[in-house]
Amino acid sequence: MPTTVLIVEDEPLIAMMLEDFLGEMGKTVIGPADSCAQALALIARGGLDAAILDVNLRGGETSDAIADALAAAGIPFLFASGGSGDGVEGPHSNRPVLAKPFTMEAVARALEALG
């Protein structure tokens, strides 16, 4: 099971909740990043075991480029989606999706499934 997890989330309250959940699970949190540029810089630094990516970020950005970078680096990840059009399309549509709002148990199960 991953121990160092990157959070990519543009909603501060959701990011803080994820940080709390992961902290309670004994995980080390990287981020949170709220943009592609921030996330890509954190990925480039290395040391990640997994990532949780919000599908849609501020300013019309999506997490597609982040997903591409993680896949290229062999780092497992899942998407967090609030539904209502936040569907995952394209080459990463087969990745797990954690539906918002989520519980600590759902986050733990999703991370466990990543390996």
XYZ file of all heavy atoms in Angstrom:
810
model
N 0.851 -1.189 0.000
C 0.000 0.000 0.000
C 0.895 1.250 0.000
O 1.902 1.292 0.696
C -0.896 -0.006 1.234
C -1.913 1.093 1.248
S -3.165 0.727 2.502
C -4.102 2.201 2.417
N 0.527 2.262 -0.789
C 1.353 3.473 -0.882
C 1.501 4.173 0.469
O 0.588 4.160 1.278
C 0.578 4.360 -1.847
C -0.496 3.531 -2.438
C -0.669 2.328 -1.588
N 2.664 4.781 0.670
C 2.886 5.516 1.915
C 3.067 7.012 1.702
O 2.850 7.793 2.618
C 4.117 4.967 2.660
O 5.252 5.079 1.812
C 3.920 3.520 3.070
N 3.481 7.432 0.515
C 3.675 8.846 0.201
C 2.748 9.211 -0.950
O 2.886 8.683 -2.051
C 5.140 9.130 -0.184
O 5.978 8.676 0.878
C 5.373 10.610 -0.390
N 1.784 10.088 -0.659
C 0.694 10.341 -1.597
C 0.638 11.819 -1.973
O 0.578 12.689 -1.101
C -0.657 9.906 -0.986
C -1.801 10.140 -1.965
C -0.613 8.441 -0.546
N 0.631 12.085 -3.260
C 0.437 13.435 -3.786
C -1.052 13.724 -3.854
O -1.826 12.919 -4.365
C 1.032 13.549 -5.199
C 0.702 14.812 -5.988
C 1.303 16.056 -5.338
C 1.169 14.674 -7.435
N -1.446 14.894 -3.346
C -2.824 15.359 -3.469
C -2.847 16.498 -4.476
O -2.120 17.481 -4.330
C -3.377 15.879 -2.121
C -3.414 14.774 -1.078
C -4.765 16.503 -2.319
C -3.799 15.262 0.314
N -3.694 16.371 -5.486
C -3.934 17.447 -6.450
C -5.409 17.801 -6.326
O -6.282 17.038 -6.751
C -3.589 17.030 -7.892
C -3.851 18.178 -8.851
C -2.141 16.568 -7.985
N -5.676 18.935 -5.697
C -7.051 19.343 -5.392
C -7.092 20.858 -5.280
O -6.285 21.439 -4.552
C -7.502 18.698 -4.079
C -8.837 19.144 -3.560
C -9.987 18.867 -4.513
O -10.253 17.696 -4.826
O -10.625 19.852 -4.949
N -8.010 21.490 -6.004
C -8.081 22.951 -5.993
C -9.063 23.524 -4.974
O -9.110 24.731 -4.781
C -8.393 23.488 -7.395
C -9.755 23.066 -7.903
O -10.338 22.118 -7.337
O -10.229 23.674 -8.874
N -9.830 22.677 -4.317
C -10.737 23.145 -3.267
C -10.040 22.967 -1.922
O -9.819 21.842 -1.476
C -12.042 22.344 -3.291
C -12.877 22.569 -4.527
C -13.433 23.981 -4.612
O -13.622 24.635 -3.562
O -13.662 24.447 -5.737
N -9.688 24.084 -1.243
C -8.913 23.986 -0.004
C -9.526 23.085 1.066
O -8.803 22.333 1.718
C -8.833 25.433 0.486
C -8.999 26.256 -0.753
C -9.940 25.471 -1.631
N -10.836 23.134 1.257
C -11.441 22.303 2.303
C -11.331 20.821 1.986
O -11.079 20.000 2.870
C -12.904 22.692 2.524
C -13.117 24.063 3.167
C -14.602 24.381 3.271
C -12.462 24.130 4.531
N -11.504 20.468 0.722
C -11.364 19.062 0.330
C -9.910 18.627 0.465
O -9.626 17.529 0.945
C -11.900 18.836 -1.099
C -13.410 19.099 -1.133
C -11.588 17.411 -1.580
C -14.022 19.077 -2.513
N -8.986 19.507 0.075
C -7.559 19.188 0.210
C -7.201 18.956 1.676
O -6.487 18.002 2.008
C -6.710 20.303 -0.393
N -7.700 19.832 2.573
C -7.411 19.669 4.003
C -8.013 18.379 4.542
O -7.384 17.684 5.345
C -7.927 20.869 4.795
C -7.090 22.107 4.607
S -7.497 23.480 5.732
C -9.242 23.698 5.470
N -9.223 18.045 4.088
C -9.855 16.808 4.534
C -9.024 15.603 4.094
O -8.774 14.687 4.880
C -11.272 16.710 3.975
C -12.017 15.460 4.418
S -13.681 15.347 3.733
C -13.311 15.136 1.998
N -8.571 15.606 2.836
C -7.731 14.514 2.354
C -6.428 14.429 3.151
O -5.985 13.330 3.503
C -7.419 14.687 0.871
C -8.433 14.153 -0.110
C -8.065 14.557 -1.531
C -8.563 12.642 -0.002
N -5.823 15.583 3.424
C -4.598 15.590 4.238
C -4.852 14.951 5.594
O -4.043 14.150 6.075
C -4.091 17.014 4.430
C -3.403 17.602 3.232
C -2.894 19.001 3.522
O -3.702 19.953 3.483
O -1.685 19.134 3.801
N -5.965 15.319 6.225
C -6.305 14.750 7.533
C -6.509 13.246 7.440
O -5.985 12.487 8.256
C -7.572 15.403 8.095
C -7.354 16.834 8.545
O -6.181 17.269 8.683
O -8.371 17.537 8.761
N -7.285 12.804 6.440
C -7.534 11.372 6.274
C -6.220 10.617 6.097
O -5.980 9.603 6.751
C -8.407 11.111 5.045
C -9.866 11.447 5.189
C -10.704 11.344 4.084
C -10.416 11.862 6.390
C -12.057 11.643 4.187
C -11.761 12.167 6.497
C -12.592 12.054 5.390
N -5.377 11.113 5.197
C -4.115 10.433 4.920
C -3.197 10.443 6.140
O -2.517 9.451 6.421
C -3.430 11.053 3.703
C -4.186 10.866 2.382
C -3.553 11.705 1.277
C -4.228 9.401 1.974
N -3.181 11.555 6.862
C -2.388 11.632 8.095
C -2.836 10.600 9.114
O -2.014 9.941 9.748
N -4.166 10.453 9.254
C -4.702 9.456 10.191
C -4.345 8.038 9.773
O -4.245 7.148 10.607
C -6.222 9.601 10.292
C -6.625 10.913 10.886
C -7.585 10.772 12.034
O -8.000 9.649 12.356
O -7.888 11.809 12.624
N -4.144 7.841 8.469
C -3.764 6.521 7.957
C -2.252 6.307 8.022
O -1.762 5.269 7.589
C -4.234 6.361 6.508
C -5.716 6.223 6.355
S -6.128 5.928 4.608
C -6.875 7.479 4.180
N -1.510 7.300 8.519
C -0.068 7.165 8.614
C 0.674 7.438 7.322
O 1.829 7.044 7.168
N 0.016 8.109 6.385
C 0.640 8.421 5.093
C 1.361 9.759 5.157
O 0.992 10.642 5.906
C -0.413 8.505 3.972
C -1.338 7.320 3.894
C -0.606 6.062 3.569
C -1.565 4.889 3.501
N -0.901 3.622 3.601
N 2.384 9.895 4.327
C 3.053 11.172 4.138
C 2.385 11.853 2.953
O 2.235 11.254 1.898
C 4.552 10.957 3.839
O 5.138 10.276 4.948
C 5.263 12.278 3.607
N 1.996 13.112 3.155
C 1.294 13.848 2.110
C 2.266 14.775 1.389
O 3.048 15.489 2.014
C 0.135 14.677 2.713
C -0.495 15.576 1.662
C -0.907 13.759 3.332
N 2.201 14.730 0.071
C 2.931 15.677 -0.776
C 1.869 16.620 -1.345
O 0.854 16.180 -1.856
C 3.670 14.955 -1.921
C 4.597 13.865 -1.398
C 4.399 15.950 -2.805
C 5.757 14.345 -0.569
N 2.127 17.914 -1.271
C 1.156 18.904 -1.720
C 0.356 19.407 -0.543
O 0.847 19.399 0.580
N -0.846 19.810 -0.778
C -1.600 19.666 -2.003
C -1.184 20.668 -3.081
O -0.764 21.778 -2.779
C -3.048 19.921 -1.572
C -2.938 20.796 -0.383
C -1.646 20.418 0.291
N -1.310 20.232 -4.318
C -1.103 21.096 -5.473
C -2.486 21.465 -6.003
O -3.376 20.628 -6.023
C -0.307 20.360 -6.542
N -2.640 22.723 -6.430
C -3.946 23.122 -6.953
C -3.902 23.487 -8.435
O -4.852 24.044 -8.970
C -4.557 24.251 -6.129
C -3.786 25.549 -6.210
O -2.756 25.606 -6.917
O -4.221 26.521 -5.565
N -2.778 23.155 -9.086
C -2.654 23.426 -10.516
C -1.747 22.375 -11.151
O -0.983 21.693 -10.453
C -2.050 24.810 -10.750
O -0.690 24.820 -10.348
N -1.811 22.305 -12.481
C -0.934 21.375 -13.195
C 0.529 21.720 -12.950
O 1.339 20.830 -12.700
C -1.234 21.405 -14.692
S -2.731 20.532 -15.143
N 0.861 23.001 -13.022
C 2.259 23.403 -12.854
C 2.802 22.971 -11.500
O 3.914 22.423 -11.412
C 2.397 24.915 -13.027
N 2.040 23.194 -10.431
C 2.495 22.784 -9.094
C 2.650 21.273 -9.006
O 3.638 20.767 -8.479
C 1.503 23.232 -8.026
C 1.598 24.669 -7.618
C 0.638 24.963 -6.479
O -0.442 24.380 -6.381
N 1.026 25.893 -5.621
N 1.664 20.556 -9.510
C 1.703 19.096 -9.433
C 2.864 18.523 -10.230
O 3.572 17.630 -9.756
C 0.380 18.514 -9.929
N 3.087 19.035 -11.431
C 4.179 18.528 -12.262
C 5.531 18.794 -11.608
O 6.436 17.953 -11.679
C 4.106 19.131 -13.665
C 2.893 18.680 -14.490
C 2.788 19.484 -15.778
C 2.929 17.185 -14.769
N 5.672 19.931 -10.926
C 6.918 20.221 -10.207
C 7.124 19.226 -9.061
O 8.249 18.751 -8.834
C 6.902 21.655 -9.680
N 6.061 18.886 -8.349
C 6.173 17.921 -7.256
C 6.489 16.522 -7.773
O 7.269 15.787 -7.175
C 4.881 17.914 -6.424
C 4.630 19.191 -5.618
C 3.218 19.173 -5.032
C 5.668 19.368 -4.524
N 5.904 16.153 -8.896
C 6.198 14.844 -9.499
C 7.664 14.786 -9.919
O 8.341 13.775 -9.709
C 5.260 14.576 -10.701
C 3.822 14.420 -10.212
C 5.714 13.334 -11.473
C 2.782 14.488 -11.318
N 8.159 15.873 -10.486
C 9.549 15.921 -10.941
C 10.528 15.747 -9.780
O 11.619 15.206 -9.964
C 9.823 17.236 -11.667
N 10.135 16.183 -8.586
C 11.004 16.021 -7.406
C 11.137 14.565 -6.993
O 12.094 14.173 -6.343
C 10.443 16.804 -6.224
C 10.833 18.240 -6.232
C 10.664 18.827 -4.870
N 9.674 19.886 -4.939
C 9.066 20.410 -3.899
N 9.306 19.947 -2.692
N 8.209 21.371 -4.051
N 10.121 13.763 -7.317
C 10.166 12.337 -6.995
C 9.717 12.033 -5.583
O 9.270 12.898 -4.847
N 9.834 10.761 -5.213
C 9.492 10.319 -3.870
C 8.025 10.015 -3.653
O 7.586 9.892 -2.513
N 7.256 9.877 -4.718
C 5.823 9.596 -4.589
C 5.556 8.111 -4.770
O 6.163 7.466 -5.615
C 5.025 10.332 -5.670
C 5.193 11.828 -5.802
C 4.423 12.331 -7.003
C 4.734 12.524 -4.552
N 4.594 7.612 -3.992
C 4.138 6.231 -4.162
C 2.804 6.170 -4.887
O 2.454 5.143 -5.472
C 3.959 5.543 -2.811
C 5.262 5.358 -2.073
O 6.279 5.093 -2.724
O 5.247 5.475 -0.836
N 2.015 7.254 -4.796
C 0.686 7.282 -5.394
C 0.198 8.724 -5.427
O 0.813 9.612 -4.833
C -0.282 6.422 -4.588
N -0.936 8.927 -6.116
C -1.519 10.267 -6.186
C -3.034 10.184 -6.262
O -3.590 9.224 -6.798
C -0.979 11.026 -7.391
N -3.665 11.225 -5.712
C -5.104 11.417 -5.822
C -5.301 12.719 -6.585
O -4.843 13.779 -6.138
C -5.776 11.500 -4.438
C -5.549 10.204 -3.659
C -7.266 11.813 -4.583
C -6.023 10.254 -2.212
N -5.949 12.637 -7.747
C -6.091 13.781 -8.633
C -7.537 14.221 -8.756
O -8.397 13.425 -9.146
C -5.604 13.436 -10.050
C -4.258 12.772 -10.229
C -4.011 12.502 -11.703
C -3.166 13.630 -9.636
N -7.789 15.490 -8.476
C -9.088 16.061 -8.808
C -9.166 16.093 -10.332
O -8.180 16.410 -11.001
C -9.185 17.465 -8.223
C -10.565 18.090 -8.358
O -11.502 17.400 -8.815
O -10.710 19.264 -8.016
N -10.300 15.770 -10.894
C -10.438 15.715 -12.346
C -10.320 17.104 -12.960
O -9.553 17.324 -13.895
C -11.783 15.051 -12.748
C -11.989 15.131 -14.248
C -11.818 13.602 -12.278
N -11.090 18.053 -12.430
C -11.107 19.422 -12.964
C -10.524 20.392 -11.955
O -10.914 20.389 -10.789
C -12.536 19.845 -13.316
C -13.071 19.064 -14.484
O -12.426 18.972 -15.521
N -14.242 18.467 -14.327
N -9.585 21.209 -12.421
C -8.917 22.187 -11.569
C -9.361 23.593 -11.965
O -10.069 23.790 -12.942
C -7.400 22.027 -11.686
C -6.867 20.629 -11.350
C -5.401 20.513 -11.706
C -7.110 20.304 -9.885
N -8.885 24.578 -11.220
C -9.252 25.976 -11.482
C -8.874 26.416 -12.891
O -7.944 25.900 -13.488
C -8.525 26.893 -10.506
C -8.965 26.761 -9.102
C -8.234 27.781 -8.232
N -8.208 27.337 -6.856
C -9.194 27.533 -6.007
N -10.270 28.167 -6.383
N -9.113 27.089 -4.769
N -9.595 27.424 -13.360
C -9.255 28.038 -14.632
C -9.451 27.139 -15.834
O -8.822 27.339 -16.864
N -10.288 26.121 -15.693
C -10.538 25.237 -16.818
C -9.491 24.164 -17.027
O -9.570 23.391 -17.988
N -8.482 24.111 -16.141
C -7.465 23.063 -16.248
C -8.060 21.712 -15.885
O -8.930 21.621 -15.033
C -6.308 23.316 -15.258
C -5.245 24.219 -15.733
C -4.030 24.194 -14.794
O -4.197 24.155 -13.566
O -2.926 24.222 -15.329
N -7.557 20.674 -16.531
C -7.876 19.313 -16.111
C -6.579 18.685 -15.618
O -5.498 19.235 -15.814
C -8.443 18.462 -17.273
O -7.402 18.250 -18.233
C -9.658 19.124 -17.906
N -6.703 17.540 -15.002
C -5.509 16.858 -14.485
C -4.914 15.889 -15.500
O -4.096 15.043 -15.146
C -5.836 16.153 -13.175
O -6.910 15.278 -13.342
N -5.285 16.023 -16.772
C -4.782 15.107 -17.809
C -3.254 15.079 -17.895
O -2.655 14.000 -17.962
C -5.352 15.469 -19.180
C -6.852 15.215 -19.283
O -7.392 14.441 -18.463
O -7.475 15.796 -20.189
N -2.620 16.242 -17.915
C -1.157 16.292 -18.031
C -0.487 15.669 -16.809
O 0.563 15.034 -16.918
C -0.687 17.731 -18.223
N -1.119 15.832 -15.653
C -0.590 15.236 -14.416
C -0.701 13.714 -14.503
O 0.239 12.993 -14.183
C -1.357 15.773 -13.188
C -1.269 17.299 -13.134
C -0.836 15.142 -11.901
C -2.319 17.946 -12.256
N -1.853 13.241 -14.957
C -2.057 11.801 -15.124
C -1.044 11.224 -16.107
O -0.472 10.152 -15.870
C -3.485 11.526 -15.589
N -0.794 11.942 -17.202
C 0.199 11.491 -18.186
C 1.577 11.360 -17.544
O 2.283 10.368 -17.760
C 0.287 12.467 -19.360
C -0.960 12.462 -20.238
O -1.769 11.516 -20.157
O -1.121 13.441 -21.005
N 1.971 12.358 -16.744
C 3.289 12.340 -16.102
C 3.398 11.198 -15.096
O 4.428 10.523 -15.020
C 3.565 13.683 -15.428
N 2.343 10.989 -14.322
C 2.355 9.893 -13.348
C 2.433 8.541 -14.053
O 3.202 7.664 -13.636
C 1.112 9.963 -12.461
C 1.059 11.126 -11.481
C -0.347 11.297 -10.925
C 2.069 10.939 -10.355
N 1.647 8.375 -15.101
C 1.665 7.109 -15.850
C 3.045 6.860 -16.446
O 3.563 5.739 -16.373
C 0.597 7.131 -16.942
N 3.664 7.904 -16.993
C 5.001 7.757 -17.582
C 6.036 7.368 -16.538
O 6.988 6.640 -16.832
C 5.411 9.052 -18.278
N 5.831 7.847 -15.291
C 6.765 7.543 -14.206
C 6.427 6.226 -13.501
O 7.142 5.815 -12.587
C 6.770 8.696 -13.188
N 5.325 5.601 -13.887
C 4.932 4.342 -13.258
C 4.363 4.515 -11.863
O 4.404 3.583 -11.059
N 3.824 5.684 -11.560
C 3.257 5.966 -10.239
C 1.744 5.760 -10.307
O 1.068 6.396 -11.112
C 3.578 7.410 -9.800
C 5.089 7.609 -9.714
C 2.904 7.730 -8.460
C 5.532 9.057 -9.572
N 1.203 4.876 -9.471
C -0.236 4.639 -9.501
C -1.009 5.868 -9.012
O -0.539 6.605 -8.148
C -0.438 3.447 -8.575
C 0.764 3.401 -7.713
C 1.880 4.046 -8.474
N -2.194 6.050 -9.577
C -3.021 7.189 -9.170
C -4.482 6.863 -9.367
O -4.845 5.918 -10.060
C -2.650 8.450 -9.955
C -2.839 8.349 -11.438
C -4.019 8.749 -12.042
C -1.827 7.838 -12.247
C -4.189 8.645 -13.411
C -1.979 7.741 -13.620
C -3.175 8.149 -14.213
N -5.306 7.676 -8.720
C -6.743 7.593 -8.898
C -7.278 9.001 -9.023
O -6.602 9.971 -8.669
C -7.409 6.830 -7.750
C -7.223 7.370 -6.335
C -8.330 8.338 -5.973
C -7.203 6.214 -5.357
N -8.477 9.098 -9.559
C -9.122 10.383 -9.720
C -10.157 10.582 -8.625
O -10.777 9.625 -8.170
C -9.828 10.467 -11.077
C -8.888 10.520 -12.239
C -8.643 9.389 -13.004
C -8.252 11.701 -12.587
C -7.783 9.428 -14.089
C -7.382 11.746 -13.672
C -7.153 10.615 -14.420
N -10.339 11.834 -8.228
C -11.418 12.227 -7.325
C -12.374 13.062 -8.159
O -11.953 14.001 -8.834
C -10.881 13.029 -6.149
N -13.646 12.699 -8.126
C -14.616 13.378 -8.976
C -15.877 13.699 -8.207
O -16.370 12.874 -7.439
C -14.960 12.483 -10.172
O -16.023 13.046 -10.905
N -16.382 14.896 -8.439
C -17.637 15.298 -7.831
C -18.830 14.942 -8.674
O -19.945 15.340 -8.375
N -18.605 14.218 -9.743
C -19.711 13.860 -10.631
C -20.110 15.047 -11.488
O -19.296 15.912 -11.781
N -21.344 15.125 -11.872
C -21.906 16.217 -12.674
C -20.959 16.686 -13.764
O -20.511 17.816 -13.787
C -22.317 17.398 -11.785
O -21.204 17.995 -11.155
N -20.596 15.767 -14.642
C -19.754 16.137 -15.772
C -18.267 16.032 -15.512
O -17.465 16.388 -16.361
N -17.878 15.565 -14.335
C -16.454 15.421 -14.008
C -15.914 14.065 -14.453
O -14.995 13.544 -13.851
C -16.233 15.551 -12.495
C -16.248 16.978 -12.019
O -16.366 17.877 -12.858
O -16.144 17.195 -10.805
N -16.471 13.480 -15.475
C -16.052 12.156 -15.911
C -14.627 12.148 -16.433
O -14.119 13.149 -16.914
N -14.006 11.006 -16.307
C -12.644 10.826 -16.796
C -12.731 10.257 -18.206
O -13.356 9.225 -18.426
C -11.845 9.872 -15.878
C -10.453 9.657 -16.427
C -11.810 10.409 -14.460
N -12.110 10.943 -19.140
C -12.119 10.488 -20.525
C -10.688 10.283 -20.990
O -9.746 10.654 -20.307
C -12.814 11.533 -21.397
C -14.269 11.760 -21.021
C -14.912 12.881 -21.804
O -14.237 13.495 -22.650
O -16.097 13.138 -21.560
N -10.545 9.710 -22.168
C -9.225 9.583 -22.758
C -8.460 8.387 -22.256
O -9.032 7.412 -21.768
N -7.126 8.486 -22.335
C -6.278 7.319 -22.068
C -6.295 6.842 -20.617
O -5.855 5.736 -20.343
C -4.879 7.798 -22.473
C -4.938 9.279 -22.363
C -6.351 9.661 -22.709
N -6.808 7.646 -19.711
C -6.803 7.252 -18.291
C -8.199 6.908 -17.780
O -8.413 6.812 -16.570
C -6.174 8.358 -17.446
C -4.804 8.716 -17.902
N -3.729 7.865 -17.785
C -4.338 9.820 -18.536
C -2.656 8.437 -18.308
N -3.005 9.625 -18.774
N -9.138 6.695 -18.682
C -10.518 6.425 -18.275
C -10.666 5.094 -17.528
O -11.675 4.867 -16.872
C -11.439 6.445 -19.495
O -11.064 5.446 -20.418
N -9.643 4.252 -17.596
C -9.685 2.972 -16.882
C -9.161 3.081 -15.446
O -9.186 2.099 -14.714
C -8.873 1.917 -17.638
C -7.402 2.278 -17.729
O -7.038 3.459 -17.710
N -6.556 1.280 -17.853
N -8.706 4.251 -15.053
C -8.183 4.431 -13.687
C -9.322 4.500 -12.683
O -10.430 4.923 -13.008
C -7.351 5.714 -13.596
C -6.147 5.749 -14.501
C -5.054 4.824 -14.020
N -3.927 4.855 -14.948
C -2.699 4.530 -14.612
N -2.415 4.125 -13.394
N -1.739 4.568 -15.513
N -9.042 4.119 -11.427
C -10.090 4.189 -10.403
C -10.555 5.628 -10.169
O -9.773 6.577 -10.287
C -9.404 3.646 -9.148
C -8.135 3.025 -9.594
C -7.788 3.595 -10.925
N -11.835 5.752 -9.821
C -12.413 7.066 -9.511
C -13.037 7.000 -8.128
O -13.826 6.112 -7.823
C -13.484 7.463 -10.552
C -14.126 8.795 -10.171
C -12.874 7.540 -11.946
N -12.648 7.940 -7.288
C -13.174 8.084 -5.935
C -14.225 9.188 -5.991
O -13.903 10.331 -6.318
C -12.025 8.459 -4.995
C -12.306 8.600 -3.521
C -12.757 7.268 -2.935
C -11.035 9.065 -2.806
N -15.478 8.846 -5.738
C -16.566 9.813 -5.846
C -16.618 10.722 -4.617
O -16.509 10.267 -3.486
C -17.893 9.084 -6.005
N -16.746 12.037 -4.888
C -16.928 13.007 -3.811
C -18.412 13.079 -3.487
O -19.228 12.929 -4.386
C -16.452 14.389 -4.259
C -14.985 14.498 -4.569
C -14.680 15.899 -5.065
C -13.254 16.065 -5.512
N -13.012 17.393 -6.071
N -18.810 13.334 -2.261
C -17.951 13.420 -1.077
C -17.505 12.020 -0.658
O -18.221 11.052 -0.843
C -18.863 14.036 -0.019
C -20.238 13.620 -0.422
C -20.221 13.523 -1.921
N -16.289 11.936 -0.124
C -15.776 10.635 0.250
C -15.482 10.563 1.734
O -15.382 11.574 2.413
C -14.543 10.229 -0.549
C -13.640 11.374 -0.921
C -12.828 11.995 0.008
C -13.613 11.833 -2.233
C -11.998 13.022 -0.346
C -12.777 12.882 -2.594
C -11.974 13.477 -1.663
N -15.378 9.334 2.208
C -15.077 9.071 3.611
C -13.643 8.572 3.720
O -13.027 8.190 2.723
C -16.013 7.972 4.162
O -15.760 6.764 3.428
C -17.475 8.372 4.028
N -13.136 8.553 4.921
C -11.788 8.033 5.138
C -11.718 6.571 4.724
O -10.730 6.138 4.147
C -11.359 8.195 6.598
C -9.912 7.793 6.805
S -9.122 8.403 8.308
C -10.170 7.774 9.567
N -12.777 5.812 4.984
C -12.789 4.401 4.613
C -12.709 4.244 3.092
O -12.003 3.363 2.590
C -14.049 3.702 5.155
C -14.085 3.609 6.655
C -14.485 4.914 7.366
O -15.127 5.797 6.728
O -14.117 5.064 8.538
N -13.433 5.079 2.361
C -13.398 5.004 0.889
C -12.016 5.351 0.357
O -11.515 4.714 -0.575
C -14.455 5.934 0.290
N -11.368 6.351 0.955
C -10.019 6.727 0.546
C -9.058 5.581 0.832
O -8.233 5.221 -0.009
C -9.559 8.037 1.235
C -8.101 8.327 0.943
C -10.442 9.208 0.817
N -9.168 4.987 2.006
C -8.290 3.865 2.374
C -8.468 2.697 1.414
O -7.480 2.105 0.957
C -8.575 3.426 3.815
N -9.715 2.359 1.087
C -9.979 1.247 0.156
C -9.399 1.555 -1.226
O -8.828 0.688 -1.876
C -11.481 0.983 0.042
C -12.049 0.157 1.173
C -13.450 -0.344 0.864
N -14.367 0.693 0.412
C -15.121 1.458 1.210
N -15.082 1.273 2.517
N -15.932 2.362 0.712
N -9.578 2.795 -1.677
C -9.080 3.177 -3.005
C -7.559 3.081 -3.063
O -6.997 2.592 -4.050
C -9.559 4.579 -3.356
N -6.879 3.553 -2.024
C -5.414 3.475 -1.993
C -4.945 2.032 -1.911
O -3.971 1.652 -2.542
C -4.845 4.296 -0.831
C -4.896 5.800 -0.996
C -4.399 6.483 0.275
C -4.093 6.264 -2.201
N -5.653 1.237 -1.125
C -5.310 -0.185 -0.995
C -5.398 -0.865 -2.357
O -4.544 -1.677 -2.721
C -6.256 -0.855 -0.010
C -5.975 -2.316 0.227
C -4.831 -2.546 1.201
O -4.639 -1.730 2.115
O -4.126 -3.550 1.029
N -6.399 -0.515 -3.144
C -6.585 -1.105 -4.466
C -5.457 -0.718 -5.431
O -5.182 -1.444 -6.379
C -7.936 -0.701 -5.036
N -4.801 0.428 -5.168
C -3.689 0.831 -6.021
C -2.468 -0.048 -5.820
O -1.594 -0.124 -6.667
C -3.295 2.290 -5.768
C -4.261 3.353 -6.228
C -3.729 4.736 -5.875
C -4.550 3.254 -7.717
N -2.405 -0.690 -4.648
C -1.265 -1.570 -4.399
C -0.492 -1.066 -3.295
O 0.482 -0.927 -2.875
